[in-house]
Amino acid sequence: MTLTLHYHPFSSFCQKVLVALYERDVPFEGVVVDFSDPDGKAAFERLWPMGKFPVLRDEARGVTVPESSVIVEYLDRAHPGARPMVPEDRDSALEARQWDRFFDHYVELPLQKVVGDRFRPEGAQDPHGVSDARALLVRAYDLLESALGDDGAWVAGEAFTLADCGAAPALFYAAMVEPFAGRPRLEAYYARLRSRPSFVRAVDEAREYRSFFPLPWPEGWD
Ligand SMILES: N[C@@H](CCC(=O)N[C@@H](CS)C(=O)NCC(=O)O)C(=O)O
């Protein structure tokens, strides 16, 4: 075993990488980072001083790879043979990367703003920032609704790519803070993601951490 993923099962950015690993059955060892343990936190920050997970360590190559999207691309190179998560065709690769950026910047980050505000101490909340974040989510949903087709394809075309790896956890959490309401293509795309076995596995492995979520878990949200 040469690959070690430093991560947390409940983290959406980590789930992006888990989906890519499970899609291709890549063997790895998982190390769950516990920020409440000062020694564990310090050790993790020695690995990646920005202190954000996921981080992949490839011992055989002596390489440390931070950043979820870069890790997914690294896995394509480190484990060639299976279908890559970033397509080999350069135009298709650009499209997958563009959608991956879209989900990180316009779904993940506003979602984190809304959720993260709940962790702030009394009096330090940022209602204007949260309201801007919600507006950005709505704008992203509207764009997705017009960009997605009715043909059952994935967000960047026929192949399941890096973009879908990140879209699945991003939309899972985003829909809890801002419902998709009245956007049937987005709802259908999310339903396809939700039933993808790699993502089903990632969600199941995170179930035990649901009490960490600072908002009420929506009724019936599985
Ligand atoms: N751009 C980074 C973002 C990673 C990120 O924001 N990770 C969050 C968890 S989803 C984290 O480490 N949070 C812990 C903290 O900020 O203390 C990536 O794509 O990997």
Side-chain angles (χ1 to χ4, degrees), residues 11-14 16 35 51-54 66-69 104 112:
S11 142
S12 45
F13 280 109
C14 296
K16 183 200 296 193
F35 283 134
K52 301 274 185 194
F53 43 54
E67 292 297 316
S68 56
S69 306
D104 275 15
Q112 286 196 350

Side-chain angles (χ1 to χ4, degrees), residues 8 10-17 35 41 44-45 48 50-55 66-71 100-101 104 108-109 112:
H8 195 284
F10 199 57
S11 142
S12 45
F13 280 109
C14 296
Q15 289 182 5
K16 183 200 296 193
V17 171
F35 283 134
K41 186 172 189 297
F44 180 67
E45 287 176 356
W48 176 226
M50 294 311 294
K52 301 274 185 194
F53 43 54
V55 172
E67 292 297 316
S68 56
S69 306
V70 182
I71 296 173
D100 172 68
R101 296 299 73 225
D104 275 15
E108 277 283 4
L109 294 183
Q112 286 196 350

Side-chain angles (χ1 to χ4, degrees), residues 73-141:
E73 285 216 45
Y74 182 82
L75 292 172
D76 280 351
R77 269 206 317 173
H79 286 266
R83 194 180 50 72
M85 290 291 110
V86 177
E88 273 153 15
D89 171 75
R90 292 179 72 180
D91 289 336
S92 307
L94 274 185
E95 198 170 351
R97 290 194 187 99
Q98 181 253 304
W99 280 113
D100 172 68
R101 296 299 73 225
F102 177 88
F103 282 106
D104 275 15
H105 288 285
Y106 306 129
V107 180
E108 277 283 4
L109 294 183
L111 151 70
Q112 286 196 350
K113 174 71 186 169
V114 175
V115 174
D117 203 63
R118 293 300 190 105
F119 288 113
R120 288 188 169 194
E122 200 52 47
Q125 273 92 9
D126 175 16
H128 290 294
V130 167
S131 153
D132 287 350
R134 284 190 184 279
L136 190 56
L137 269 181
V138 166
R139 187 182 275 238
Y141 290 175

Side-chain angles (χ1 to χ4, degrees), residues 7 20 25 37 57 64 67 81 83 94 99-100 107 113 117 134 137 145-146 164 180 193 196 215 220:
Y7 78 119
D25 265 334
D37 165 27
R57 173 78 190 158
T64 300
E67 292 297 316
R83 194 180 50 72
L94 274 185
W99 280 113
D100 172 68
V107 180
K113 174 71 186 169
D117 203 63
R134 284 190 184 279
L137 269 181
E145 182 64 16
S146 60
D164 304 295
F180 301 147
L193 291 170
R196 186 87 175 175
L215 297 164

